[in-house]
Amino acid sequence: MNPDERRYTCEETFRRLEDYVDRELSAEEMERVREHLKTCEGCAHEFHFHEQTLQSLRNRLQRIAMPPALLSRITQAIRQE
């Protein structure tokens, strides 16, 4: 297969950005997104926006204290699994 035929379009890349940021894609998909981002300034800009937004959200969520009862229920459910 021609290497150009395996490249993601902007639309295909955009649909995968959140999963790419979270590293939830297959190795092949990760590579294809990475290659597209190297050559497409628009998608690279969108990726950085997604990455910064998700990181900011994660940071804020880490500062929220979990109610002790919820933590206990989660811990118990994990132990049962």
Side-chain angles (χ1 to χ4, degrees):
M1 180 182 283
N2 180 338
D4 289 336
E5 293 175 6
R6 292 190 318 249
R7 290 187 181 172
Y8 281 151
T9 63
C10 292
E11 182 180 336
E12 291 169 322
T13 300
F14 185 78
R15 284 194 313 248
R16 291 169 173 85
L17 280 181
E18 190 173 324
D19 290 336
Y20 179 77
V21 170
D22 290 337
R23 293 179 174 85
E24 293 180 353
L25 300 174
S26 69
E28 180 183 348
E29 288 176 306
M30 291 290 290
E31 182 59 28
R32 289 171 79 178
V33 170
R34 189 173 13 262
E35 287 301 314
H36 184 87
L37 294 175
K38 286 181 187 177
T39 61
C40 181
E41 186 177 330
C43 287
H45 177 74
E46 194 66 32
F47 161 69
H48 291 298
F49 174 78
H50 275 269
E51 184 178 44
Q52 290 171 348
T53 301
L54 288 171
Q55 189 58 46
S56 176
L57 180 59
R58 285 182 185 123
N59 289 341
R60 288 179 184 191
L61 288 174
Q62 289 176 353
R63 288 184 264 157
I64 297 173
M66 184 181 300
L70 177 59
L71 180 59
S72 176
R73 286 183 13 222
I74 291 171
T75 303
Q76 184 177 12
I78 291 171
R79 287 182 183 149
Q80 290 177 354
E81 289 295 318

